[in-house]
Amino acid sequence: MERYLRRNRLSEVMDSLGMCALLYLLSAAWFIWLWGLNVASLLAGAALGTLLWTARSQWRKRTVDRREKALRSRLGAELMLEGMLLAEPKEAHFRAALLLSEKWPITLERVSPEGVLCRQGKEKLLIRCVPIPTDGELSAGDLLSAQRAVRQSKADRGVLCVLGKVSAKAAARAEQSIVPLRLIRRDTLLSIAGRCAPATDAQLVELGKRKRRCAGQGSMARLIFHRDKARRYHLYGLMMLLLYILTGTRLYAVPGMACLSMAVMSRIGRNAEDRL
């Protein structure tokens, strides 16, 4: 998602000014080469430069709109799957079934803690959500639990919406299982969720607040004044003061006092492990 983030405003302004100047100079140079240096060539160059700049602006607008749409789809899908991961089992199964109904012609019949019973033609399906973190993998225990649920519900086969990773071994085990199971991978869920529920403005604002909160937990001040760095600051400060005493240069006194002050502040500060 980082590739969709915009750069700072100053760099955008400088790039725009540079591109504008380049287009006008090239346009003017073209007509000067054709007609020589006169008023007509300069006016024609200005007109061509304006036309090229307008075309570039329209192209950039379409590109930005396309990237914004892709970013909203990706963020909306990630937020939906995150909500399924933290939801109660019954609610997570229901959300997974609703998500699959956007792509496949299924009819929801009954919701239970074991899954959602659905109909696809004459076939009876049990749709389950397997709440695994993004870096987690589907285990044999998850497959066994799904097989038991399918048998208890008397469904023809089970459909597992896996929120984490699916290894080749787990996929092969699901294909060879006695109770038929189909695995819906995370990429498929993200694709469906992105089309159905792109991120809204309110979700983007909340995501920005959460990002700032996470950044605040690892703030620069807490990183600088960590207690483990107090000994190093103390050593640097003493060395600077020793150089000041030996050479008499005040240039060493200022950083020496600063390092000693940082050592004291680091000693006073508390580690993250000291707080609940």
Side-chain angles (χ1 to χ4, degrees), residues 79 82 86 202-220 222 275:
L79 291 173
E82 182 181 281
L86 300 177
Q203 288 177 323
L204 293 179
V205 171
E206 184 62 29
L207 190 63
K209 292 180 180 178
R210 186 170 66 179
K211 184 177 180 180
R212 287 192 293 270
R213 286 198 301 268
C214 294
Q217 293 177 358
S219 62
M220 185 63 67
R222 186 173 299 177
R275 298 187 302 274

